[in-house]
Amino acid sequence: MVYIDDDLEQFDLEEALTLLPLQRYEQAMRFRSEHDRRLSVAVYRLLCRGLREEYGIEEPPTFEYGAHGKPSLAGHPDIHFNMSHCRQAAICVLSSHPVGVDVERFRPYDERLVSFTMNEEECVKIRQSERPDVEFIKWWTRKEALLKCRGTGISHEMRDVLTDVRGVQFTTVVVDRRQYVYTICRQDTGR
């Protein structure tokens, strides 16, 4: 299930911070800006909502972390989730199989960044698209969502990340009205 908040001013941040468990409160307070704290709280609230609605879990989740920092739910190894946020939106995805998600805001096209992070085929598709700026973000979010699904973290060699995508499905959505793109990567059930 997918949970998105792209109206981030809708909740009282100070009140929401008082309701967080210590682990998440400390994580939110590491951010310097109020907006970044708001994003951290928003994405956690989405996770709590999803756990409540999909699994009937009312207690605040406690995280465990994999070797590369991928969070999992302590005591619930059968529930997979992933979270992401950018300036415009927070997103959380829950699944019964490994899942990754990335959300990125629209930004100006940067040929140097495209050449550094994309392989030749991807570069051609990006350059030939009507909106190279958005097309780049679509490809980037696919790569990051896949790495998050696999729990490996961002690789130094981003060009080849999508060369082996057997056993995964991608869903990419462009939200023009709020100027962001998100991609969900799910591991197929047959794998």
Side-chain angles (χ1 to χ4, degrees):
M1 208 48 166
V2 180
Y3 296 88
I4 300 173
D5 182 354
D6 60 9
D7 186 11
L8 297 164
E9 298 304 318
Q10 70 181 346
F11 66 91
D12 181 332
L13 178 60
E14 293 307 315
E15 179 185 344
L17 284 167
T18 66
L19 301 174
L20 295 178
L22 182 60
Q23 180 188 40
R24 192 62 189 193
Y25 175 83
E26 288 174 346
Q27 186 170 1
M29 295 309 289
R30 286 187 198 123
F31 292 101
R32 292 182 183 166
S33 78
E34 179 180 321
H35 187 76
D36 289 340
R37 287 179 183 164
R38 183 171 292 282
L39 287 167
S40 178
V41 171
V43 78
Y44 182 79
R45 288 167 46 110
L46 292 173
L47 174 63
C48 291
R49 178 179 156 205
L51 291 171
R52 195 171 45 253
E53 290 178 8
E54 301 300 318
Y55 299 95
I57 297 173
E58 296 289 335
E59 70 270 5
T62 302
F63 298 134
E64 298 175 332
Y65 295 92
H68 298 282
K70 183 175 182 175
S72 60
L73 297 173
H76 299 282
D78 55 326
I79 301 174
H80 300 270
F81 75 98
N82 203 236
M83 304 180 293
S84 184
H85 54 75
C86 67
R87 191 121 190 93
Q88 286 82 351
I91 186 169
C92 178
V93 180
L94 291 100
S95 177
S96 58
H97 299 280
V99 65
V101 64
D102 187 42
V103 61
E104 300 287 338
R105 65 179 173 81
F106 289 8
R107 65 187 74 176
Y109 181 78
D110 181 344
E111 177 61 36
R112 204 174 86 231
L113 184 59
V114 170
S115 298
F116 183 72
T117 59
M118 302 292 149
N119 65 36
E120 286 184 40
E121 181 182 332
E122 294 161 351
C123 285
V124 168
K125 289 178 181 178
I126 290 167
R127 291 176 188 132
Q128 291 178 349
S129 73
E130 285 186 33
R131 295 277 317 270
D133 57 333
V134 174
E135 190 66 21
F136 168 74
I137 296 168
K138 289 165 62 176
W139 283 97
W140 177 264
T141 60
R142 286 180 195 129
K143 291 180 180 208
E144 194 163 335
L146 176 65
L147 293 172
K148 290 173 77 176
C149 180
R150 291 180 173 164
T152 59
I154 293 183
S155 165
H156 292 298
E157 185 53 62
M158 293 299 287
R159 287 186 184 118
D160 299 323
V161 168
L162 296 176
T163 56
D164 178 15
V165 292
R166 290 172 292 161
V168 297
Q169 299 173 342
F170 294 99
T171 303
T172 300
V173 177
V174 176
V175 183
D176 279 312
R177 67 179 173 74
R178 295 287 196 178
Q179 299 193 336
Y180 65 87
V181 174
Y182 68 87
T183 296
I184 299 164
C185 177
R186 288 185 182 93
Q187 185 169 312
D188 286 340
T189 57
R191 190 168 183 200

